[in-house]
Amino acid sequence: MPRTTAAIPNITFLLLAGILFLGLIISPDKASSMDLSAEISTFGGNDDNVDRKNDHRKTASPFFGVNPALSAFLPISDRWNLALGYDFTYTRYTALSSGSSFHGGWSEITAVILPGWFAGCSARIESLDDQGDPENSGWGYRVAPSLTRHVSDALSIRLSGAYGIWEYENRDFDLGRWTIRLDEAQIDHTYEGELGITYLLLFDTLVEAAYRFTRAGSSNAIDEHTVHHFLMGLKKTVTPKLEIALGYHFSSWDYPDWRVGPRQRLITRNDERHRFWTFLTYAITEKVELFLSFDKSLNSSNIGFKTYERTEVMGGLRFHWAWFGI
């Protein structure tokens, strides 16, 4: 029988509200004008493994969608800044005749604590309604403090952490040969720490590298896991209108309570995942961008039905507007 936890406490909402409005309390007499921005993206593409399953079980589908977003930036004082926003994404998968709706609200406070030293704290609350795979549907939040050191004009070092909760609305846990029907909603608690560097090379080329550790506890013990992440990325401004980004992400997953073999005592689940991506943007006009992306994932697991490949190709248009000094 899976373990259960208490409901998410109301202090969560107090914490989110505190981060959201702390900047206004810090120095309200110095608050200046606000900058606003809005954008809307329309996109379409093809996903050859929507549900991330092995070759015998996967589903391929073209998709299309829309992603509007709003954000505001408010300088509170010479040292403090507040930003907040909201975004919504709707994706429709034509082969499944179903779609998913994602809502996200976020806020972030940043401060200059010493010359070259910056501190920040962000909070985000999200909800997902996935009609194609209802077991993914749920809601959650994430709080992430960070500390950044600008060593030089070219080099920055960043240390960050995060804590998040995700509550699944109605999840049945797939073990391949059978499915566990959970008595209560599964609630995951995630803790993360990350160390990253950013370096600006010649010819407007930005290189990023990071190590991240994730520990995920869950009311469903089988789904508890730890992950080691290694990430690398490169962003290059080719022309004033054209920018390209390349990335690679390797992650190693360990599930200590997910046992397989005779009487489920032989081995525990371990996965290795490789992800490669390319993202290209081209400014058609001052307010319109064309974007194209390619994303490839390879997941290798010692549990056969959790081994899969996935390729997603996508393109679209982004329209954006900005208003300063409101």
Side-chain angles (χ1 to χ4, degrees):
M1 181 67 63
R3 296 200 307 265
T4 58
T5 60
I8 297 174
N10 290 332
I11 194 172
T12 299
F13 301 99
L14 297 177
L15 181 60
L16 289 168
I19 294 175
L20 186 63
F21 297 109
L22 180 60
L24 299 177
I25 298 172
I26 292 169
S27 182
D29 57 317
K30 295 183 179 181
S32 61
S33 59
M34 180 169 55
D35 300 333
L36 295 176
S37 64
E39 66 177 48
I40 183 168
S41 301
T42 58
F43 57 86
N46 186 77
D47 188 337
D48 75 347
N49 194 351
V50 176
D51 36 14
R52 295 168 179 79
K53 295 185 177 180
N54 59 22
D55 290 342
H56 302 294
R57 308 168 71 199
K58 70 178 183 179
T59 301
S61 177
F63 64 87
F64 62 91
V66 62
N67 171 216
L70 296 170
S71 61
F73 175 79
L74 178 63
I76 302 301
S77 69
D78 293 338
R79 292 179 174 268
W80 292 85
N81 295 296
L82 171 67
L84 52 92
Y86 166 79
D87 55 272
F88 167 75
T89 303
Y90 177 77
T91 306
R92 181 78 175 179
Y93 293 93
T94 58
L96 302 178
S97 299
S98 63
S100 65
S101 300
F102 176 86
H103 299 264
W106 60 272
S107 63
E108 182 177 23
I109 292 174
T110 56
V112 181
I113 54 177
L114 290 170
W117 290 85
F118 300 84
C121 190
S122 64
R124 185 173 179 89
I125 187 167
E126 302 172 338
S127 70
L128 173 65
D129 178 15
D130 191 342
Q131 299 172 0
D133 194 354
E135 294 181 4
N136 291 328
S137 298
W139 76 278
Y141 72 88
R142 178 182 175 91
V143 179
S146 63
L147 179 66
T148 303
R149 166 62 171 157
H150 288 332
V151 180
S152 66
D153 291 340
L155 177 64
S156 295
I157 302 173
R158 185 173 185 268
L159 179 66
S160 62
Y163 171 70
I165 279 183
W166 186 266
E167 178 175 343
Y168 295 92
E169 292 180 357
N170 183 22
R171 192 178 196 198
D172 295 332
F173 201 69
D174 184 8
L175 291 177
R177 294 184 178 180
W178 64 85
T179 299
I180 294 179
R181 300 193 179 280
L182 303 180
D183 295 333
E184 298 183 11
Q186 178 174 328
I187 301 175
D188 293 350
H189 301 255
T190 303
Y191 307 82
E192 287 188 341
E194 181 175 313
L195 177 64
I197 62 171
T198 302
Y199 190 77
L200 181 62
L201 299 176
L202 298 176
F203 310 112
D204 295 324
T205 302
L206 191 68
V207 177
E208 298 176 303
Y211 166 76
R212 181 190 308 148
F213 176 76
T214 301
R215 180 184 180 276
S218 177
S219 59
N220 176 16
I222 298 175
D223 208 19
E224 293 185 339
H225 56 271
T226 58
V227 192
H228 297 275
H229 306 263
F230 300 90
L231 305 98
M232 295 186 65
L234 182 148
K235 185 181 292 185
K236 166 69 176 176
T237 302
V238 182
T239 71
K241 291 186 175 183
L242 178 62
E243 185 176 271
I244 187 170
L246 306 173
Y248 170 68
H249 178 190
F250 170 78
S251 54
S252 177
W253 301 62
D254 178 33
Y255 294 80
D257 292 320
W258 190 325
R259 300 181 182 277
V260 296
R263 298 183 180 180
Q264 296 184 317
R265 294 180 180 178
L266 185 59
I267 58 174
T268 58
R269 178 184 171 186
N270 297 107
D271 291 12
E272 289 188 353
R273 187 173 303 169
H274 301 266
R275 179 175 171 236
F276 310 84
W277 69 89
T278 303
F279 194 83
L280 181 147
T281 58
Y282 180 78
I284 300 174
T285 70
E286 183 179 345
K287 300 183 184 300
V288 182
E289 288 181 344
L290 169 71
F291 61 88
L292 300 170
S293 71
F294 172 85
D295 195 309
K296 178 73 172 182
S297 296
L298 306 169
N299 192 79
S300 175
S301 177
N302 60 349
I303 298 180
F305 77 95
K306 288 297 182 180
T307 295
Y308 67 85
E309 295 186 15
R310 175 175 177 254
T311 302
E312 181 188 84
V313 180
M314 181 178 67
L317 292 173
R318 180 182 298 114
F319 306 84
H320 52 90
W321 304 266
W323 303 269
F324 302 101
I326 296 177

